[in-house]
Amino acid sequence: MFSLCKHRLLTTAVKSKSKSVRAESNRANSFSRAFPSSKSLPLTYFSSWFCPFAHRATIALEHHHIEYEWVEALGWEKQKPTGDEEFDAKERKDWFYHHKSPALLSANPLGMIPTIQSHDKKDVVTESLVCVEFADEIGGGVYPTLLSRNPWHAARERVAAMNVNKQVTSNYYAVLVRTDLEERAAAFDKLVAGLRVFASELENEGFWGGRGTLGFVDVALFPYAWRLYVLEHYRGFNVPRSGEMGLWENYHSWLLRVSALDYVHSTLPDKNKYLKHVAKYANDQARSKVGNATRRGVSALDYDDDIDAENAHDNQ
């Protein structure tokens, strides 16, 4: 694992839309995009380059060209045994815990990302899909909304995004974190079933639900769909490449299509760097709320802020 990121605010001014594509190596610094209203001040965006939950919010902010200052708010650090552990201290000599920036904890005491803070620090928005909707609401109407303006369609999209969380997101972590081989295989089967449901709503050269532009459900799934190569690398599981009357071909075409969007491509982390990051989870060394919840046998989405706190110690 690479060294702990230094938490800092470095604003990079964007002089033209043509400069909107940034190298992944600059992700640890804050940067801004052209905001639709010149009277608005930039938001503070607490995020982290490796987090797929936060990746959703990043894509939404980039989609709408919303000005923001990026704060790389999570890192990793080893902690010395305190002597109060419920197991032999030597078992945790190479465990890693999240280090969270003081600014993040001030804005969101739970320390979760994504967290978006107003310029005057009076208001915050949390939870990845809520942040996506928030970006839609403040986007200024210049770019297509991610969530449909038709309330019937929007309701259907919200349900589909919830299903992505249940079927794909939670099982992504189960495959990665759980140690029982049968449990991993069962979780991957559920994940593929979730992808199948998603892909059944794709049309040739389009996006979920027949949209002609990127939408809410696409943003919910993409950060995890893009990261599924780590399950092949660490667990040997592969998403089907073809079959089921073209369903899987459509799915992979969609994945390439979203990845190729300039404002999405600029947000993608280096694949090898991400593999090294995920090794902590694959090797059962990472202690995070999501990881701890999955380890004790519940959905990653059902973590408990107290039970699954980064410094909570379970025996599973």
Side-chain angles (χ1 to χ4, degrees), residues 106-182:
S106 176
N108 179 359
L110 295 179
M112 301 301 284
I113 59 172
T115 291
I116 299 173
Q117 186 181 49
S118 61
H119 74 276
D120 58 8
K121 299 185 178 182
K122 292 182 178 180
D123 297 296
V124 297
V125 180
T126 63
E127 300 294 335
S128 63
L129 293 178
V130 177
C131 288
V132 173
E133 289 199 49
F134 176 73
D136 259 356
E137 291 173 356
I138 68 170
V142 177
Y143 302 94
T145 58
L146 296 164
L147 191 69
S148 175
R149 288 196 174 105
N150 181 312
W152 296 97
H153 295 173
R156 181 169 176 264
E157 290 164 3
R158 289 190 182 98
V159 171
M162 290 169 56
N163 287 334
V164 165
N165 271 345
K166 293 176 183 177
Q167 298 169 343
V168 179
T169 302
S170 62
N171 285 305
Y172 169 84
Y173 291 108
V175 175
L176 196 58
V177 174
R178 297 297 291 175
T179 57
D180 184 88
L181 297 182
E182 291 185 359

Side-chain angles (χ1 to χ4, degrees), residues 178-195:
R178 297 297 291 175
T179 57
D180 184 88
L181 297 182
E182 291 185 359
E183 289 181 356
R184 288 178 185 169
F188 187 73
D189 287 343
K190 293 177 182 177
L191 185 155
V192 171
L195 294 179

Side-chain angles (χ1 to χ4, degrees), residues 231-251:
L231 301 186
E232 178 180 357
H233 180 86
Y234 287 113
R235 300 294 182 243
F237 293 126
N238 296 283
V239 175
R241 299 293 307 180
S242 61
E244 300 187 38
M245 300 180 65
L247 180 141
W248 293 113
E249 289 88 343
N250 281 346
Y251 166 77

Side-chain angles (χ1 to χ4, degrees), residues 24-45:
E24 185 277 332
S25 61
N26 291 329
R27 280 282 138 191
N29 296 333
S30 49
F31 49 87
S32 60
R33 294 292 302 265
F35 195 72
S37 173
S38 60
K39 296 181 181 179
S40 299
L41 295 174
L43 305 169
T44 300
Y45 177 43

